[in-house]
Amino acid sequence: MAPVTDIGEEMYALVERMYPLCRSITGDGVRATLDIVGEYIPLQRHEVPTGTQVLDWTVPQEWNIRDAYIADTAGHRVVDFAASSLHVLGYSVPVSATMPLAELREHLHTLPDRPNWVPYRTSYYQPEWGFCLAQATLDAMPDGEYEVRIDSTLADGHLTYAEHVVPGQVPDEVIVSCHVCHPSLANDNLAGIAVATFLARALGGHTPYYTYRFLFAPGTIGAITWLARNAERVDRVKHGLVLACAGDPGRLTYKQSRRGDAEIDRVMRHVLTASERPHRVNEFTPYGYDERQFCSPGFNLGVGSLTRTPYAGYPEYHTSADNLDFVSPEAMADTLAVCREAFTVLDRNRRYLNLSPYGEPQLGRRGLYDALGGRSDTKQAQMAMLWVLSLSDGEHSLLDVTERSGLPFDTVAAAADALHGAGLIKA
């Protein structure tokens, strides 16, 4: 395994490659992004036609854009899509016209309180066109005529998403989801894509207990489409995690599932607390990323969300300031490390049954105490064995043992492995 710093740099390089691409909920930008991710992990791509009914939604027309600009009478491009994909209102219908600034203003979006930043705006389901620009740029535009052009198409096509599956020892699944619909926004959500990609690579280095399904899909409509197409098998999803805003300098934040007591909720709370990282655990709300689709009452899956600073929780959110300078290799490496720690606990968190429940079994004659000889934590390891035996009643998990005993999870899991090997407990 490469050092954490190297992995962080690799993830940052992936973000750099994806950053210039213009993504939306459909279109060639999504496909180009998945092409890049596909160089790191194999992907199964799905194309869902326009007009397909997906739960209460319908797959929209596909949007693609080639060029867009606002030019003054001298032909100078005051606003240029080629400089940043944020400059165009997402899903803008095509336009080619000349109009006075007073009329053009109705289609311009700025951030007056952040005069040098460009906002990110969309109009997915309402036909509209527009430009996003810095307030300082708008203030410098004199009255007069401007050439306005958006060379885009809205036509029947497809919604594209992709999956990567890491086969496990059991068919029960853990779903890891990230959205691939945002344009040049480094934290939201290119960092999430990078962490998901490298998490998939790490899990693929061995055979985990659960089967891990990674979903790379546009936000909202992508998750809804996946759920609609997998409704008959969604009961396989036992745990899940939505990754977003994974590279900013803020502390880690875990948003619990709608259920609040799902195993992933307990695991994430435990890992974040045990790691002594600065963090926050938030209650579920039906607003945010795609956890709200997976947790909708009809599905009610145990899916939480991991971010650093949550959506809308930092000034740079959905602006041009969410750029390559806002994310760091160190932050992405830290997010990846927490995911790996959490999934290690999730994978090992079994319920066991004590096969010698009447009285305390003799551990010495089975060589279990001898196996601990020379360990610096001998006493702790002995206590872990006793706690596992005491709570192996088929109802308590190893995480229950950890929380009740106050012992480290790794110590408890190692004790369970030893007891299982000696034939004293069974899963």
Side-chain angles (χ1 to χ4, degrees):
M1 193 71 186
V4 169
T5 51
D6 290 349
I7 292 175
E9 294 291 347
E10 288 183 65
M11 287 190 287
Y12 188 85
L14 174 55
V15 170
E16 280 187 305
R17 289 187 63 191
M18 296 185 291
Y19 185 75
L21 298 174
C22 181
R23 280 164 292 271
S24 189
I25 56 173
T26 63
D28 291 336
V30 173
R31 297 185 186 97
T33 301
L34 295 177
D35 285 344
I36 294 173
V37 173
E39 296 176 20
Y40 292 77
I41 54 174
L43 295 176
Q44 181 182 8
R45 193 174 297 191
H46 304 270
E47 299 278 0
V48 185
T50 296
T52 302
Q53 188 71 28
V54 287
L55 305 181
D56 195 45
W57 295 57
T58 304
V59 173
Q61 288 189 311
E62 183 176 323
W63 183 68
N64 285 293
I65 183 168
R66 287 158 291 280
D67 193 16
Y69 59 86
I70 300 172
D72 60 22
T73 53
H76 170 67
R77 293 192 176 193
V78 181
V79 178
D80 191 354
F81 169 76
S84 171
S85 59
L86 295 179
H87 276 312
V88 174
L89 177 77
Y91 253 63
S92 281
V93 299
V95 60
S96 182
T98 300
M99 62 185 68
L101 180 59
E103 181 181 347
L104 178 58
R105 281 180 181 274
E106 299 177 10
H107 298 275
L108 301 182
H109 304 270
T110 67
L111 296 168
D113 59 334
R114 303 282 183 176
N116 295 310
W117 295 1
V118 177
Y120 165 56
R121 299 288 184 267
T122 63
S123 184
Y124 294 141
Y125 301 104
Q126 183 68 37
E128 184 57 270
W129 66 268
F131 288 86
C132 299
L133 65 159
Q135 181 67 43
T137 301
L138 177 57
D139 291 344
M141 292 171 63
D143 289 335
E145 297 288 309
Y146 288 87
E147 180 189 0
V148 179
R149 179 166 173 77
I150 298 178
D151 182 11
S152 65
T153 55
L154 270 168
D156 288 353
H158 297 82
L159 178 146
T160 308
Y161 72 89
E163 295 174 287
H164 172 82
V165 177
V166 179
Q169 300 170 36
V170 297
D172 291 345
E173 292 187 0
V174 179
I175 191 167
V176 180
S177 175
C178 60
H179 57 277
V180 296
C181 53
H182 284 14
S184 297
L185 300 173
N187 195 44
D188 182 24
N189 184 45
L190 296 180
I193 296 172
V195 170
T197 300
F198 278 77
L199 179 58
R201 287 179 64 174
L203 290 171
H206 64 285
T207 302
Y209 179 72
Y210 289 108
T211 293
Y212 286 81
R213 183 176 300 273
F214 288 79
L215 178 62
F216 300 85
T220 305
I221 187 65
I224 286 172
T225 298
W226 186 87
L227 286 164
R229 288 163 58 90
N230 293 274
E232 76 288 345
R233 55 179 301 281
V234 78
D235 60 340
R236 294 186 191 176
V237 178
K238 305 303 180 183
H239 321 281
L241 192 64
V242 173
L243 288 172
C245 301
D248 69 81
R251 61 181 174 178
L252 285 156
T253 301
Y254 177 70
K255 176 183 173 181
Q256 299 186 123
S257 71
R258 175 179 175 269
R259 286 152 48 179
D261 62 349
E263 190 170 344
I264 188 68
D265 299 328
R266 295 186 62 204
V267 167
M268 289 302 304
R269 290 195 300 261
H270 168 75
V271 166
L272 287 169
T273 300
S275 73
E276 299 185 345
R277 289 177 172 90
H279 71 277
R280 175 180 293 171
V281 176
N282 291 339
E283 296 293 328
F284 175 82
T285 65
Y287 180 76
Y289 292 113
D290 284 330
E291 69 279 354
R292 68 189 197 273
Q293 311 307 331
F294 299 115
C295 293
S296 56
F299 295 108
N300 197 28
L301 299 175
V303 177
S305 173
L306 182 66
T307 62
R308 300 194 73 83
T309 308
Y311 50 86
Y314 50 97
E316 297 84 355
Y317 178 75
H318 279 194
T319 76
S320 58
D322 184 354
N323 55 33
L324 294 171
D325 293 331
F326 186 61
V327 299
S328 71
E330 293 78 14
M332 284 186 280
D334 186 51
T335 306
L336 175 63
V338 168
C339 291
R340 295 192 64 183
E341 291 166 23
F343 288 165
T344 296
V345 173
L346 192 67
D347 250 25
R348 298 180 73 187
N349 189 34
R350 310 273 194 284
R351 286 177 171 81
Y352 288 93
L353 187 65
N354 189 334
L355 299 179
S356 183
Y358 299 103
E360 182 179 303
Q362 190 174 7
L363 303 181
R365 71 178 175 86
R366 292 177 170 87
L368 292 172
Y369 282 145
D370 292 340
L372 301 176
R375 287 180 52 161
S376 60
D377 62 342
T378 298
K379 182 64 175 177
Q380 193 177 63
Q382 290 176 352
M383 286 302 300
M385 286 188 186
L386 297 176
W387 271 109
V388 171
L389 286 169
S390 178
L391 294 179
S392 289
D393 52 9
E395 296 181 3
H396 292 86
S397 69
L398 295 186
L399 190 55
D400 292 322
V401 177
T402 297
E403 292 176 347
R404 188 159 174 183
S405 68
L407 296 168
F409 181 87
D410 285 348
T411 302
V412 170
D417 289 342
L419 292 167
H420 185 269
L424 287 171
I425 60 173
K426 71 174 183 179

